[in-house]
């Protein structure tokens, strides 16, 4: 999974925030501060679909787009890719664990405990 460019990330942020699939026109309205041509929005949505970030379904003559995965899943995948880039996963994980807050450490510990119990 590759990282997202700035415009791709802006569009994904919009789609992650929505509870239902959106058309290109709806996405364009929600990203209006960027003053993008409708064809640019459609091109980026198509690119994100081909990359596997979005699912699309036909709605009359338009397509509706929705995220293929949650934002949390995407971020977790980025974290795993970053971990794969290190030569020493244990050292990277240890350093990461030392930098998280107490609350975050508790969340990690709880998640690990639940995984052990499964």
């Amino acid at each position: 999974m590759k990282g997202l460019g700035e415009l791709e990330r802006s569009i994904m942020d919009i789609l992650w925030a929505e509870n239902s699939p959106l058309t290109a026109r709806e996405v364009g309205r929600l990203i209006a501060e960027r003053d993008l041509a409708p064809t640019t929005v459609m091109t980026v949505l198509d690119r994100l679909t081909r990359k596997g970030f979005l699912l699309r379904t036909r709605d009359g003559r338009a397509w509706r787009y929705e995220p293929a995965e949650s934002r949390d899943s995407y971020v977790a995948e980025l974290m795993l890719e970053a971990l794969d880039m290190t030569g020493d996963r244990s050292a990277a994980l240890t350093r990461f664990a030392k930098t998280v807050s107490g609350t975050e450490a508790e969340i990690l510990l709880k998640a690990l405990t639940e995984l052990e119990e499964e």
Side-chain angles (χ1 to χ4, degrees), residues 15-79:
L15 290 164
W16 276 320
E18 290 298 315
N19 292 325
S20 59
L22 298 176
T23 65
R25 180 172 288 159
E26 292 167 334
V27 171
R29 277 194 290 256
L30 291 170
I31 200 168
E33 77 279 357
R34 299 285 300 259
D35 193 31
L36 299 172
T39 54
T40 300
V41 174
M42 287 187 289
T43 298
V44 175
L45 289 168
D46 184 58
R47 185 181 314 132
L48 288 167
T49 301
R50 283 187 278 117
K51 288 181 174 182
F53 288 101
L54 296 178
L55 302 173
R56 71 178 175 190
T57 53
R58 196 52 109 162
D59 184 8
R61 293 179 54 192
W63 289 103
R64 290 202 168 268
Y65 297 87
E66 63 184 316
E69 297 286 338
S70 69
R71 182 192 313 262
D72 292 342
S73 294
Y74 170 69
V75 171
E77 187 67 29
L78 287 177
M79 292 170 69

Side-chain angles (χ1 to χ4, degrees), residues 60-107:
R61 293 179 54 192
W63 289 103
R64 290 202 168 268
Y65 297 87
E66 63 184 316
E69 297 286 338
S70 69
R71 182 192 313 262
D72 292 342
S73 294
Y74 170 69
V75 171
E77 187 67 29
L78 287 177
M79 292 170 69
L80 288 170
E81 285 183 12
L83 193 56
D84 285 342
M85 291 174 15
T86 181
D88 186 349
R89 289 176 72 111
S90 294
L93 284 169
T94 300
R95 181 150 177 97
F96 175 76
K98 289 179 180 178
T99 63
V100 299
S101 71
T103 302
E104 292 165 336
E106 288 175 16
I107 292 167

